[in-house]
Amino acid sequence: MVTQKQIADLLGLSQSTVANILRGAATPKYKEETKKAVLSTAERLGYRPNRSAQAVQRGRSNVIGVLHFASKLEISGKVADRLPDLIRAAGYEPLVVDLRWYSERMERMVQEMVNARVEGVIVAHISKSFQLCHAEALAAARIPAVTVFGDTRLHIPVIRDDV
């Protein structure tokens, strides 16, 4: 993996300059040629931000988890297709798990959301495998959750279009 330090060393810049330019912070104070050099070098070398480091530095992950229970309903597919776009448009990155393959390991999937330090979880098209204990595990980790087209049995907010 390419690091910000490697880009800085290659261009003869400070690591803080490269970091600021890559995250878009305070970029007006840098020359346009410096910004272009950093951005083009990062792209050429295949730089990808280290999400773990960003989470530690900012104190947040910028990730929204989606637990999706695929079904044969047309609306289910539409929600699964549209949610990641909506999450990105809101400035977050989605972490989507299609639970039709993992429903028997719900505890593990919920724990993965906790481990990833997601900032919220959207439970789409709730199934019997997502139980109150899973909602409580998210709440205990201080991760807010909502359900789309779910029901109220889990005591988490429900987003529906029929009310």
Side-chain angles (χ1 to χ4, degrees):
M1 286 183 36
V2 178
T3 66
Q4 292 178 356
K5 182 174 180 351
Q6 289 170 322
I7 295 170
D9 290 346
L10 185 65
L11 296 174
L13 299 170
S14 72
Q15 187 173 347
S16 64
T17 296
V18 170
N20 285 336
I21 291 171
L22 288 175
R23 76 170 181 265
T27 55
K29 75 177 191 178
Y30 300 107
K31 294 179 184 176
E32 196 60 37
E33 63 193 47
T34 303
K35 289 191 276 189
K36 285 181 182 178
V38 169
L39 296 173
S40 66
T41 301
E43 184 177 346
R44 181 174 48 85
L45 296 176
Y47 170 79
R48 297 289 175 260
N50 181 328
R51 288 212 175 273
S52 297
Q54 287 177 337
V56 168
Q57 183 181 35
R58 291 189 302 227
R60 53 186 293 250
S61 68
N62 207 46
V63 175
I64 300 293
V66 177
L67 298 174
H68 175 67
F69 299 87
S71 74
K72 295 180 181 175
L73 297 173
E74 181 181 352
I75 190 69
S76 181
K78 287 181 179 179
V79 168
D81 289 343
R82 190 75 177 112
L83 271 176
D85 294 335
L86 293 170
I87 290 167
R88 284 188 190 99
Y92 293 88
E93 285 299 318
L95 173 60
V96 181
V97 177
D98 186 338
L99 290 162
R100 70 179 149 188
W101 303 108
Y102 298 104
S103 61
E104 73 281 357
R105 295 187 281 179
M106 181 61 62
E107 289 78 14
R108 179 171 174 243
M109 294 299 106
V110 169
Q111 190 57 50
E112 288 300 323
M113 293 289 173
V114 172
N115 292 346
R117 298 177 189 237
V118 298
E119 294 186 37
V121 172
I122 300 169
V123 182
H125 298 283
I126 214 158
S127 83
K128 291 178 184 171
S129 59
F130 191 85
Q131 299 291 319
L132 182 58
C133 64
H134 303 117
E136 289 171 342
L138 292 171
R142 303 181 82 150
I143 298 173
V146 298
T147 179
V148 178
F149 297 110
D151 60 44
T152 59
R153 69 184 168 88
L154 300 176
H155 309 291
I156 59 177
V158 177
I159 300 169
R160 300 181 66 98
D161 66 352
D162 62 349
V163 279

